[in-house]
Amino acid sequence: MSIKIDDLNEIKKKFLEKEKNKIQIKIAMSVCAKSSGSEKIFDYFMKETKDKELNVEIISTGCMGFCYCEPTLKIVYPKSEEIKIIGDVTLEKAKIILEQLTKKEKIESELKPRVKEKRVSLLNCGNINPESFENAVAYGAYFSLENLLHNFTKEDVVNSVEKSGLRGRGGAGYSTGKKWRALYERESDEKYIICNADEGDPGAFMDRAILAGDPHLVLEGMIIGGYAVGAKSGIIYIRAEYPQAIEVLLRAIEDLKKYGLLGESILGTDFSFNIELKYGAGAFVCGEETALIQSMEGKRGEPKAKPPYPVEVGYRGKPTVVNNVETFANITRIFQNGVDWYRKIGTEKSPGTKVFALVGKVKKVGLVEVPLGTKLKDIIYEIGGGIKNEKSFKAVQTGGPSGGCLSSEDLEISVEYDELVKKGAMMGSGGLIVLDEDDCMVEMARFYIGFSVGESCGKCTPCRIGTKRLYEILDKVLKGGGEKKDLDLLEELSITVRRSALCGLGKAAPNPVLSTLKKFRNEYLNKIERR
């Protein structure tokens, strides 16, 4: 079947017509929701609404972002924009909700959409059934692709991405438009576009939530990318530890093949494209693009020296571009809403939004999406509700083991790529781990260096040996054997590793040591003086 614009409109019309007179109960079935018991809640509503022949539809959705009070659900009334969000749902609470619906009693919302949040990549997560192609189309999927394939040249698409100012959401924030331009202009009989879904930072789960909650948003972005750069093959490199996301993606890809949105002559054009999955074993280093490509080729997952860059010599020796999950999600939104719309969000140098996994000692742990440029204190206090147990804020670790820590002096900073780097931290993939007054920053630095020691591929000496020596010094300080000269050694060795390691992950590994030495040197000195 080769789908056309009239078919997309018909699918959307039928889906919305079917839904318009029904009360909908949308239940989060993400990993954190399931671990909190959402499957029992879902089964209860399915059985009771069927037995009682109620005009209520039960919908399984992805993550709603309120991870601190799972299971969560939304009640959506027909012909109304009124949405009630309920958290900490138990079977007892579910029975009360169903009774209120049956008696047409008013249900009060327990949770409200977060004021400082702006959902772009997460817009449909928690609102649609991720396993339903029709639901995705009803919420706008693939209309922009249809428009683009018929009205945009490849050059137009690349120009639009450049003008959008989109920066890669996977770590360093490199310009997506520049990457696409380099591959578009490169002559080759074969090119590849890869989605990096190897989310390896401790505490990070943004990409998993997007893929499992709205897979078509990412798949559409990949198809757009394939068209723009002249690739016929797209590959999602995803860690095998994400079975839910994998299952949802495989289902979505099958639907796209069935409707002719993957394969030959997509939407009646001469553009042909396919997407397949390749599974990673969960090695942190395979988040680095050259190591990822090595792993995809069945080789040891370790980085290669650059240049040549993957856009020159990539997968199977062919020009390749690698973008992460959230980057592709942004691509689709840019072409759905326009470049001007996108540039109005965020800041001049960091347009758009960023999804963060807000975890640690914060009251409202969850998945949040804010415009870049939002103040750090607004994320932690207004969205996150502040610090648990009325403790004092001490620090926040951004960007996982490759990032750095920010202290209370940094709460007023604008969270965007360049501002974080100025403060000795980095965006990374979007992990925000909040620490309180009870946390020891030396222990925190040792934890992250220990992670890097365990995940180092061992190819280059600075990373393989340097991180190990850093761990040993930190361990010595924590066990009461440290001397003041060790702090100078920590700093000197960290700078050496940063300058000489082969890949970006090795270069960034000492960041937690350097940032804690800079902002919390007194904690190191206290450990040494109490020996």
Side-chain angles (χ1 to χ4, degrees):
M1 176 180 181
S2 180
I3 203 166
K4 296 184 172 59
I5 184 65
D6 289 344
D7 301 317
L8 286 173
N9 280 319
E10 189 62 22
I11 289 170
K12 180 177 181 179
K13 182 181 171 186
K14 279 185 179 176
F15 187 89
L16 295 176
E17 184 70 24
K18 182 170 67 92
E19 302 293 314
K20 72 177 184 180
N21 293 319
K22 288 183 178 177
I23 292 174
Q24 296 177 337
I25 299 179
K26 299 181 177 183
I27 303 172
M29 297 289 277
S30 53
V31 172
C32 59
K34 282 186 174 180
S35 65
S36 301
S38 65
E39 286 173 300
K40 287 182 182 175
I41 307 298
F42 183 85
D43 292 343
Y44 168 77
F45 278 114
M46 286 294 286
K47 180 177 184 305
E48 292 298 314
T49 52
K50 184 179 178 183
D51 290 349
K52 292 181 169 64
E53 298 183 344
L54 299 176
N55 189 30
V56 176
E57 183 167 17
I58 312 302
I59 299 172
S60 164
T61 77
C63 180
M64 295 181 185
F66 302 102
C67 306
Y68 66 97
C69 61
E70 294 290 358
T72 52
L73 62 79
K74 291 179 181 174
I75 300 168
V76 184
Y77 291 94
K79 300 176 184 176
S80 168
E81 293 185 356
E82 191 177 16
I83 298 173
K84 307 295 183 184
I85 311 174
I86 316 289
D88 291 318
V89 181
T90 59
L91 276 177
E92 290 69 28
K93 194 183 270 191
K95 289 174 186 173
I96 294 170
I97 291 170
L98 198 59
E99 191 175 335
Q100 288 175 308
L101 285 175
T102 306
K103 294 178 179 176
K104 297 183 179 177
E105 292 177 353
K106 188 174 181 182
I107 296 176
E108 295 295 335
S109 191
E110 295 180 357
L111 304 168
K112 293 180 181 177
R114 295 170 283 213
V115 175
K116 297 284 183 180
E117 194 171 26
K118 182 168 183 61
R119 292 198 150 208
V120 171
S121 297
L122 296 178
L123 184 64
N124 292 341
C125 292
N127 286 315
I128 66 169
N129 177 357
E131 296 186 20
S132 169
F133 171 77
E134 293 77 10
N135 201 165
V137 171
Y139 274 64
Y142 301 106
F143 286 93
S144 59
L145 175 67
E146 194 278 338
N147 175 48
L148 183 147
L149 290 184
H150 287 96
N151 300 305
F152 283 53
T153 64
K154 294 174 181 178
E155 175 86 32
D156 291 338
V157 178
V158 173
N159 283 341
S160 295
V161 176
E162 284 180 326
K163 287 176 183 172
S164 74
L166 174 63
R167 300 174 68 164
R169 297 300 194 247
Y174 189 74
S175 164
T176 303
K178 284 185 179 177
K179 269 191 176 183
W180 284 25
R181 167 73 62 190
L183 193 57
Y184 163 69
E185 292 181 344
R186 195 151 195 95
E187 293 292 332
S188 177
D189 60 340
E190 201 170 1
K191 299 178 183 179
Y192 293 96
I193 188 160
I194 294 172
C195 175
N196 181 354
D198 190 60
E199 188 173 46
D201 288 1
F205 51 94
M206 302 78 60
D207 291 350
R208 184 188 70 196
I210 294 171
L211 288 171
D214 191 6
H216 289 285
L217 186 69
V218 179
L219 294 171
E220 187 174 357
M222 286 188 71
I223 301 171
I224 291 171
Y227 172 71
V229 302
K232 291 184 178 178
S233 297
I235 302 160
I236 301 174
Y237 182 84
I238 184 168
R239 54 179 48 217
E241 297 164 350
Y242 283 0
Q244 186 185 40
I246 289 170
E247 186 179 338
V248 169
L249 274 172
L250 289 173
R251 169 74 182 268
I253 289 170
E254 280 305 306
D255 282 337
L256 293 186
K257 289 178 179 174
K258 176 180 146 189
Y259 285 102
L261 286 162
L262 284 178
E264 303 294 322
S265 305
I266 294 172
L267 288 159
T269 68
D270 60 359
F271 172 56
S272 301
F273 189 72
N274 270 302
I275 295 176
E276 63 176 311
L277 267 57
K278 285 194 178 289
Y279 305 114
F284 178 66
V285 73
C286 288
E288 198 277 340
E289 58 184 3
T290 59
L292 179 153
I293 290 169
Q294 289 273 101
S295 173
M296 283 175 48
E297 292 173 341
K299 301 171 186 169
R300 183 185 172 98
E302 55 186 19
K304 296 168 72 175
K306 293 186 278 190
Y309 294 94
V311 291
E312 299 163 316
V313 181
Y315 182 56
R316 293 177 175 168
K318 300 294 183 181
T320 302
V321 72
V322 182
N323 295 123
N324 93 323
V325 170
E326 194 180 342
T327 307
F328 284 118
N330 274 265
I331 288 290
T332 303
R333 293 290 183 233
I334 288 168
F335 287 97
Q336 284 178 341
N337 300 289
V339 170
D340 292 341
W341 167 84
Y342 190 76
R343 295 243 30 152
K344 288 176 183 170
I345 306 169
T347 66
E348 176 66 23
K349 292 184 178 177
S350 298
T353 60
K354 181 76 191 78
V355 181
F356 292 102
L358 183 61
V359 298
K361 302 289 184 65
V362 72
K363 289 178 182 173
K364 297 179 180 178
V365 167
L367 200 64
V368 304
E369 184 172 9
V370 294
L372 285 164
T374 300
K375 287 186 186 257
L376 179 62
K377 73 171 185 182
D378 289 341
I379 298 174
I380 293 172
Y381 285 94
E382 293 205 32
I383 296 175
I387 309 303
K388 282 180 182 174
N389 305 318
E390 307 312 319
K391 299 276 185 177
S392 297
F393 169 83
K394 177 181 267 188
V396 59
Q397 175 75 14
T398 69
S402 304
C405 76
L406 299 168
S407 69
S408 56
E409 295 175 356
D410 304 314
L411 282 170
E412 291 289 336
I413 70 159
S414 163
V415 178
E416 53 186 301
Y417 290 95
D418 303 327
E419 291 302 310
L420 289 177
V421 171
K422 284 179 191 172
K423 293 290 181 181
M426 65 182 292
M427 188 75 73
S429 59
L432 282 180
I433 301 176
V434 179
L435 307 169
D436 72 16
E437 59 189 276
D438 294 335
D439 290 307
C440 170
M441 301 310 293
V442 186
E443 284 185 10
M444 195 278 290
R446 183 180 64 173
F447 169 79
Y448 278 114
I449 281 293
F451 179 86
S452 295
V453 170
E455 293 292 331
S456 173
C457 73
K459 183 172 182 178
C460 74
T461 304
C463 180
R464 183 180 71 249
I465 305 298
T467 55
K468 178 69 175 168
R469 294 290 94 83
L470 285 171
Y471 181 89
E472 289 168 354
I473 299 169
L474 290 166
D475 194 52
K476 177 182 163 189
V477 171
L478 281 167
K479 288 179 175 173
E483 302 172 71
K484 284 186 180 178
K485 65 181 182 182
D486 288 329
L487 303 191
D488 294 332
L489 184 57
L490 275 173
E491 196 163 22
E492 185 182 348
L493 184 53
S494 293
I495 291 169
T496 301
V497 173
R498 175 185 277 182
R499 287 176 177 166
S500 53
L502 176 63
C503 76
L505 298 184
K507 290 178 188 298
N511 283 348
V513 180
L514 288 169
S515 59
T516 51
L517 272 174
K518 181 179 179 182
K519 296 179 187 296
F520 298 95
R521 197 175 188 88
N522 282 341
E523 289 200 23
Y524 283 86
L525 290 171
N526 287 340
K527 298 282 181 193
I528 290 169
E529 288 165 1
R530 290 178 186 174
R531 55 187 298 205

